[in-house]
Amino acid sequence: MSQRLRLGVNIDHVATIRNARGGDHPDPVRAAEIVAQVGGDGITAHLREDRRHIRDEDLARIQAATQLPLNLEMAATEEMLEIALRHKPYAACIVPEKREERTTEGGLDAAGQHNRLQPIVTALSDAGIRVSLFIEADPRQLEAAMRLSAPVVEFHTGEYAHAEGEAKAVQLRRIADMAALAAKNGIEPHAGHGLTYENVQPIAAIPQLAELNIGHYLIGEAVFIGLEASIRRMRDLMDEAR
Ligand code: PXP
């Protein structure tokens, strides 16, 4: 039997709605508390360079509000490294970041950016932060993650989420093969991006995956059925697929 699949809830878009009016409602901290109450396994938050959703002061407030591990998504920059070392989240997921993008559009080029990433991965690891690299399900990128001694990789499921028919099956196989290869090499595989009630189950059924990080869909669905129900339904679908 496969191990239990953890669900990390990305609460960025609660902050997106808050920031739309410039005030303090809805508060992502309240979302983090609900995630804890409904048995979510972690809080994921992306402090973007432009601070379009989560802001610096949110991090400490989220950490103080729940016992859940915080997975900080961050670009590989000096500024973000300094913030991560100050806040010491449980985990840091290094993501590529482009100012003009609407969301994280592709995986990190761990292979092409080895020299830039190495000191950041080392500094985070030395501080006891569990480093994850957000990469495409591609053997070159996985090998690069191994060379960087990252204990975790998160596979970008965006292409899978957007593909149809046979192309979707191809993407799924790619993720499943890479998850197996990661686990075989002692790297814990995670996955995330673009996951919904409709597309989560084939991903959740990949036995080596240890964690999914899901945000936009859960927060969107919460508008209609509430955050608690939205997370519970995702949890049930994940459990059913296992
Ligand atoms: N994992 C990573 C590394 C991400 O950057 C994101 C988006 O911020 C997610 C998971 C969640 O993606 P989504 O919001 O599409 O569920």
Side-chain angles (χ1 to χ4, degrees):
M1 214 188 102
S2 27
Q3 59 178 323
R4 185 174 179 278
L5 180 60
R6 295 193 302 271
L7 171 60
V9 178
N10 181 318
I11 58 174
D12 291 348
H13 296 304
V14 177
T16 303
I17 300 173
R18 175 194 63 188
N19 298 356
R21 284 293 171 96
D24 56 14
H25 185 273
D27 188 346
V29 168
R30 188 164 159 204
E33 288 166 351
I34 292 172
V35 175
Q37 280 159 25
V38 300
D41 301 288
I43 305 294
T44 294
H46 185 178
L47 185 69
R48 293 187 74 101
E49 277 187 291
D50 63 7
R51 310 301 199 266
R52 70 176 75 154
H53 35 60
I54 294 295
R55 296 182 181 140
D56 300 55
E57 60 273 20
D58 292 327
L59 295 179
R61 293 172 60 242
I62 291 167
Q63 285 176 304
T66 90
Q67 300 287 317
L68 288 180
L70 173 66
N71 173 32
L72 174 67
E73 294 177 356
M74 54 175 271
T77 64
E78 278 302 315
E79 183 201 14
M80 289 300 151
L81 174 63
E82 190 266 313
I83 291 169
L85 293 177
R86 190 148 30 90
H87 288 276
K88 294 224 166 51
Y90 171 77
C93 180
I94 303 182
V95 302
E97 200 174 299
K98 289 189 228 116
R99 229 162 235 283
E100 64 280 11
E101 71 189 356
R102 251 189 279 170
T103 181
T104 312
E105 279 164 2
L108 187 71
D109 183 13
Q113 297 189 358
H114 177 94
N115 293 347
R116 199 160 78 81
L117 292 170
Q118 185 71 83
I120 295 180
V121 172
T122 303
L124 290 167
S125 298
D126 286 351
I129 299 167
R130 194 163 163 78
V131 177
S132 161
L133 302 179
F134 190 44
I135 57 173
E136 295 295 331
D138 169 342
R140 253 184 82 238
Q141 298 299 344
L142 183 62
E143 276 163 30
M146 288 193 279
R147 278 199 302 279
L148 287 161
S149 304
V152 177
V153 291
E154 181 170 326
F155 293 119
H156 196 306
T157 49
E159 273 198 58
Y160 159 80
H162 296 123
E164 305 278 350
E166 183 50 29
K168 200 175 197 74
V170 168
Q171 293 300 329
L172 180 63
R173 268 198 303 277
R174 205 162 70 105
I175 296 165
D177 289 350
M178 286 302 110
L181 191 61
K184 201 170 138 208
N185 285 282
I187 297 193
E188 186 174 282
H190 298 179
H193 208 279
L195 295 177
T196 67
Y197 295 158
E198 216 178 297
N199 66 25
V200 74
Q201 288 199 310
I203 294 289
I206 297 171
Q208 294 85 2
L209 287 179
E211 180 173 309
L212 300 183
N213 284 298
I214 309 182
H216 182 266
Y217 186 84
L218 286 175
I219 304 306
E221 196 60 15
V223 171
F224 303 111
I225 63 172
L227 186 56
E228 198 176 317
S230 161
I231 295 169
R232 278 195 205 285
R233 173 100 184 102
M234 188 62 83
R235 179 75 259 171
D236 288 348
L237 288 167
M238 287 164 57
D239 290 341
E240 225 178 82
R242 240 19 204 181

